[in-house]
Amino acid sequence: MHTLTCPNGITSPPWKLTLGDGHPRLSVLFPRKPCRECEDRLKCTGNVDGKGRHILLLTEPQQKIQSQVRKDQKASNWQRRYAIRAGCEATVSETVHAHGLRHCRYRGLAKTHVQHVLTAAGTNIVRLSDCFPPGTTPASLPRPPSHFKRLCQRLPT
Ligand code: SF4
């Protein structure tokens, strides 16, 4: 039977196995009364509806994996390998946070694919516009005359 004790010395009831975002988690719910009366309540929990402090913990196998991965991430070897992904991660983050790629606007794979392609194209356009801020665009070549204009001016084709 596992319990948690908070910095103010309040001990939780035993942890309970639950689901958080569809994954197994350990739920720790501190008793209401001492949490309501606690002077540090606002610093401790964003919970404003009068319940006790609620904490979700990873199960032991997941916690071990997470601890090991966090330890590995500090090694220079890991950081060197991760640096290869840095540009890719930034692009994924940009499409998700700036262009809403995580939410599909349409139903069906075909339309979803179109959304992905258009989002990628839009991302490229935004990046290109950053390469040439206003006033710094390279001089463009004059547009060739259209067929109709050639016809009107009797220009050779
Ligand atoms: S709000 Fe509850 S859990 Fe947080 S410090 Fe106070 S008594 Fe402890």
Side-chain angles (χ1 to χ4, degrees):
M1 214 167 49
H2 297 286
T3 59
L4 273 185
T5 301
C6 80
N8 281 353
I10 304 298
T11 301
S12 73
W15 306 348
K16 287 183 188 158
L17 192 60
T18 185
L19 284 179
D21 293 331
H23 301 286
R25 296 282 184 265
L26 297 167
S27 170
V28 185
L29 184 59
F30 283 87
R32 260 175 213 226
K33 192 169 183 296
C35 284
R36 274 188 193 155
E37 293 165 359
C38 176
E39 290 180 2
D40 295 323
R41 179 182 175 79
L42 291 179
K43 283 190 268 174
C44 177
T45 173
N47 178 351
V48 289
D49 59 3
K51 290 182 183 166
R53 171 81 157 110
H54 185 215
I55 299 173
L56 284 179
L57 302 172
L58 296 176
T59 57
E60 192 175 350
Q62 290 173 318
Q63 182 63 50
K64 279 184 180 163
I65 293 169
Q66 188 184 70
S67 302
Q68 183 60 47
V69 169
R70 285 185 175 162
K71 206 169 127 193
D72 293 347
Q73 286 176 349
K74 292 189 177 134
S76 59
N77 192 23
W78 189 96
Q79 289 173 356
R80 209 173 319 111
R81 275 195 304 126
Y82 186 75
I84 299 168
R85 286 198 53 81
C88 180
E89 293 291 342
T91 302
V92 171
S93 176
E94 182 183 349
T95 53
V96 167
H97 295 108
H99 309 300
L101 194 60
R102 192 157 285 159
H103 298 282
C104 190
R105 294 178 174 85
Y106 311 103
R107 292 191 180 165
L109 280 179
K111 289 181 180 176
T112 302
H113 178 66
V114 170
Q115 180 189 340
H116 289 169
V117 171
L118 290 176
T119 304
T123 304
N124 286 339
I125 290 170
V126 169
R127 288 183 169 188
L128 280 173
S129 70
D130 287 345
C131 293
F132 302 109
T136 63
T137 46
S140 56
L141 295 171
R143 229 171 136 181
S146 65
H147 291 296
F148 184 70
K149 191 174 178 187
R150 280 201 185 108
L151 183 69
C152 294
Q153 296 175 342
R154 300 193 184 280
L155 295 171
T157 53

